Amino acid sequence: MVVREKMLLFFKSAGLLALLGVLLYLSARTILGLSGLGLFLIGGLIYLMVRLSRDAYFIPANARPLSRWEAPEVYRLVDTLSERAGIPQAPQLYLVPSPLMNALTTGPAERPVIVVTDTLLSSLPPRELAGVLAHEIAHIRNGDLTLFRMVEIIRQFTEMVSQAGWVLLVFFFPFLLFARQVQPLSFFLFMVASPILSLLLALAIQRTREFQADLTAAELTGDPQGLAMALYRITSPRYDILGALFPFGRSLRRLEREHSLFLSHPPTEERIRRLLSLRA
């Protein structure tokens, strides 16, 4: 069951990435034309290679490196999970002071970084913390750090093509008006719709990779219920407080399920359901 689910998620990710690339190609060809498309592809490939080779990555400004002597048990857990995942170098931990329980993976694939909040380390029991760290390490093992960067670059390219179309339209509008030329409908459709569609495809890829990371984490720990419990603990207090303070708190939870196209992460209830089904 797990192997089949992972294969389905892999092909879904590949299909969504292919659609994102096709959208960029069609947008550039429709808006810039064949001559502009050639120049754009050459410049885009050079830019893509430079961006993927750079070591720059996002770390919160208030984060600091967490040394091994401060959290030896956490690092021992990270080392064990990294070894099981076959990662040559265990990720460095960064600590962020925050009242929220959260974790994220960033950095180049060769020197990955896991950023965790102090509340996460102090609130989760070892079993659940192992699930969360395994999920982040799964992103490294599955190559998501490089994939996410590539997806974001393609999305930005698509947005740039749309913006270039508006600039060209404004600049050449007097000439088009004088020559009585009308741009085809596809030109305007791609200028308006391509940035939105590229964003939706990028978010869909992220959600698919989150499901994949959950499955890999369950394999690394052998305990899918531990990650499921952590997800419930991390998510449920936020909704409880929201529902207590605001009359629309429960409506937001329903809104998250109904409009999941605009979320970077799948609904937590769905992630928990899938994890618990692995016990069967």
Side-chain angles (χ1 to χ4, degrees):
M1 176 182 175
V2 176
V3 176
R4 178 177 176 273
E5 185 73 12
K6 291 180 70 173
M7 289 296 296
L8 289 175
L9 290 172
F10 171 79
F11 286 116
K12 183 178 179 180
S13 301
L16 290 170
L17 183 61
L19 284 176
L20 190 62
V22 170
L23 177 63
L24 173 59
Y25 170 79
L26 293 177
S27 300
R29 179 169 181 175
T30 303
I31 296 174
L32 302 179
L34 287 176
S35 58
L37 174 62
L39 294 175
F40 179 81
L41 289 179
I42 294 174
L45 286 174
I46 296 174
Y47 179 74
L48 179 64
M49 293 174 63
V50 172
R51 280 290 302 272
L52 291 178
S53 63
R54 289 176 57 186
D55 288 342
Y57 51 89
F58 169 78
I59 290 182
N62 58 341
R64 66 171 181 84
L66 183 66
S67 61
R68 286 184 173 270
W69 66 264
E70 291 180 276
E73 294 298 327
V74 178
Y75 265 103
R76 190 174 297 113
L77 187 57
V78 169
D79 292 340
T80 300
L81 293 171
S82 299
E83 184 178 354
R84 292 178 185 175
I87 298 176
Q89 181 175 347
Q92 167 72 42
L93 293 179
Y94 274 68
L95 186 68
V96 174
S98 172
L100 301 177
M101 290 187 284
N102 205 354
L104 64 90
T105 308
T106 184
E110 301 78 16
R111 295 190 302 279
V113 169
I114 295 180
V115 182
V116 295
T117 63
D118 53 357
T119 305
L120 181 83
L121 296 184
S122 61
S123 301
L124 292 185
R127 179 187 182 187
E128 298 175 19
L129 181 60
V132 173
L133 292 175
H135 175 90
E136 301 304 326
I137 290 174
H139 280 304
I140 303 171
R141 175 187 177 182
N142 296 339
D144 291 337
L145 297 181
T146 301
L147 175 64
F148 289 156
R149 293 172 69 185
M150 183 179 299
V151 167
E152 179 60 18
I153 290 171
I154 297 176
R155 188 197 67 79
Q156 291 178 3
F157 277 175
T158 308
E159 187 175 330
M160 288 167 56
V161 170
S162 175
Q163 294 172 351
W166 289 108
V167 172
L168 291 174
L169 183 63
V170 171
F171 183 78
F172 288 105
F173 182 76
F175 302 96
L176 296 173
L177 189 63
F178 180 78
R180 295 183 179 180
Q181 292 185 359
V182 179
Q183 292 289 352
L185 180 61
S186 59
F187 180 87
F188 295 97
L189 287 177
F190 273 105
M191 282 200 308
V192 175
S194 59
I196 300 174
L197 291 176
S198 65
L199 175 61
L200 293 179
L201 286 171
L203 292 174
I205 292 174
Q206 291 186 45
R207 292 193 299 271
T208 303
R209 303 314 297 170
E210 290 299 322
F211 282 133
Q212 184 90 1
D214 284 346
L215 291 177
T216 303
E219 289 182 334
L220 294 177
T221 61
D223 182 21
Q225 188 176 8
L227 177 56
M229 293 169 61
L231 290 173
Y232 178 80
R233 189 188 301 269
I234 291 171
T235 306
S236 56
R238 179 176 52 134
Y239 287 117
D240 292 341
I241 295 174
L242 199 61
L245 296 180
F246 301 102
F248 53 82
R250 294 183 179 178
S251 299
L252 288 180
R253 191 171 187 176
R254 183 167 58 254
L255 186 68
E256 181 185 69
R257 293 194 299 267
E258 295 174 354
H259 300 278
S260 58
L261 287 176
F262 298 95
L263 296 176
S264 62
H265 284 59
T268 305
E269 293 88 344
E270 176 65 14
R271 295 176 64 186
I272 293 175
R273 184 191 65 79
R274 291 192 180 203
L275 284 166
L276 294 181
S277 68
L278 298 178
R279 297 181 304 171

